[in-house]
Amino acid sequence: MNAALPDNLRVLVPAWHRLLSFDLPAFIHGGHYYDPPMWNSYPTALAISMLYDEYGMRQYSFHWSWLLRWGCLGMLLVLAAGILVRPRPDLRPVWMTCLCLAGCQSAITVAYAMQFPFACNQNMRFFAQAFVPFACVFGLGCGHFCQRARWAGRRAFSVIFAAFLLGLEDLYVCLLF
């Protein structure tokens, strides 16, 4: 599909690199998912599309845009903890089911993304079915930070959550008022 694109839209990075890399500086910069740095990292473009939709962080005069970016990055860390850390035995069937459902839907989204690399926001509709399993895994990650990680984990989670909420409040104040 890449060969059919005009020269200025071709992605010259191998498909495996686009699928397996996360461009942290591009994410922190808060660009738009159509920006050229995002073309080389589909997970970065997908995360930006998921978190900010069509709104690039540069086009609005946010007071605390850095809080939203770091809060979102922290929320992705909590999600990673929910995916990677095995929960207690009574929650393992839920955890395994959520991982299977999220993995299958993620594979469908990745297959679609390989065919249409510049349609990140439109690709989110194929990822919508994975939101419920990812929300459950996110809840398990929250539980891990709040129960297993003791006081340091609780404080880290509180800082992440507060940064996310303050940044989200700033986003909505700038967009709505």
Side-chain angles (χ1 to χ4, degrees), residues 42-160:
Y42 184 71
T44 308
L46 189 62
I48 286 176
S49 174
M50 247 188 325
L51 297 171
Y52 308 133
D53 200 33
E54 288 94 8
Y55 307 106
M57 296 300 285
R58 291 181 299 215
Q59 65 193 28
Y60 296 99
S61 58
F62 294 109
H63 303 288
W64 306 313
S65 63
W66 59 274
L67 275 175
L68 183 60
R69 285 192 289 268
W70 285 101
C72 289
L73 193 60
M75 291 296 179
L76 292 175
L77 176 70
V78 172
L79 179 66
I83 291 171
L84 299 174
V85 177
R86 289 180 66 172
R88 60 181 199 245
D90 58 329
L91 293 175
R92 284 192 190 132
V94 173
W95 179 62
M96 293 298 290
T97 303
C98 289
L99 289 180
C100 289
L101 291 172
C104 291
Q105 196 60 40
S106 296
I108 292 168
T109 304
V110 165
Y112 185 79
M114 293 309 298
Q115 291 180 342
F116 306 103
F118 301 108
C120 263
N121 201 39
Q122 291 79 10
N123 290 344
M124 289 308 301
R125 63 188 163 151
F126 298 105
F127 203 57
Q129 292 83 1
F131 284 159
V132 171
F134 273 121
C136 293
V137 173
F138 179 79
L140 291 172
C142 291
H144 171 70
F145 268 85
C146 291
Q147 287 185 346
R148 287 178 147 185
R150 297 188 181 56
W151 67 270
R154 288 186 194 118
R155 288 210 172 95
F157 181 74
S158 297
V159 168
I160 289 169

Side-chain angles (χ1 to χ4, degrees), residues 20-21 28 32 60 163 167:
L20 300 177
S21 67
I28 296 299
H32 197 263
Y60 296 99

